[in-house]
Amino acid sequence: VQLQASGGGLVQAGGSLRLSCTASGSITSINTMSWYRQAPGKKREMVAHISSSGGTLYADSVKGRFTISRFNAENTMYLQMTSLKPEDTAVYYCNVDGLGGPSQWISWGRGTLVTVSS
């Protein structure tokens, strides 16, 4: 299963961006969809997570500013980011797990760079 992430770019502090991630390949069903990010010199951290039933979880640092959603018919999830801060600058990765026939799979996207200027 391949993940294609897009939507990153350069934005000023206070601005907004929307990231998307689409899964393709041998997919029977998708379970959890998540966004992670990794800033220069830092460890990768979970940003937001959405379950198959639509339950969401956010890192404290993005609560109230970021919204994760999914469109199951197109195997796609989104991350709407508002009130962006310079500390949100990072490479954002999508992570998805699910089933392909009887087999479980988990995949990572290549990442999309978000740069927030002050």
Side-chain angles (χ1 to χ4, degrees):
V1 173
Q2 296 78 42
L3 302 183
Q4 180 66 48
S6 62
L10 173 63
V11 64
Q12 289 189 328
S16 300
L17 282 174
R18 189 177 82 153
L19 307 183
S20 64
C21 176
T22 299
S24 62
S26 180
I27 299 171
T28 301
S29 63
I30 291 178
N31 184 21
T32 303
M33 307 182 86
S34 306
W35 288 97
Y36 286 75
R37 68 185 181 187
Q38 187 166 18
K42 294 189 176 181
K43 293 182 179 180
R44 190 172 296 189
E45 63 175 355
M46 193 278 290
V47 175
H49 159 112
I50 186 166
S51 69
S52 56
S53 61
T56 58
L57 181 68
Y58 296 93
D60 288 344
S61 59
V62 307
K63 279 181 183 176
R65 300 188 298 120
F66 291 10
T67 302
I68 189 171
S69 60
R70 60 191 286 171
F71 185 36
N72 292 329
E74 294 187 354
N75 296 331
T76 297
M77 71 167 165
Y78 303 96
L79 185 68
Q80 180 67 49
M81 305 185 292
T82 63
S83 301
L84 282 161
K85 305 175 181 180
E87 51 264 44
D88 295 318
T89 294
V91 177
Y92 284 70
Y93 299 90
C94 52
N95 173 269
V96 178
D97 69 87
L99 290 176
S103 302
Q104 291 183 312
W105 52 266
I106 182 166
S107 289
W108 287 90
R110 282 194 171 186
T112 184
L113 177 62
V114 172
T115 303
V116 184
S117 63
S118 57

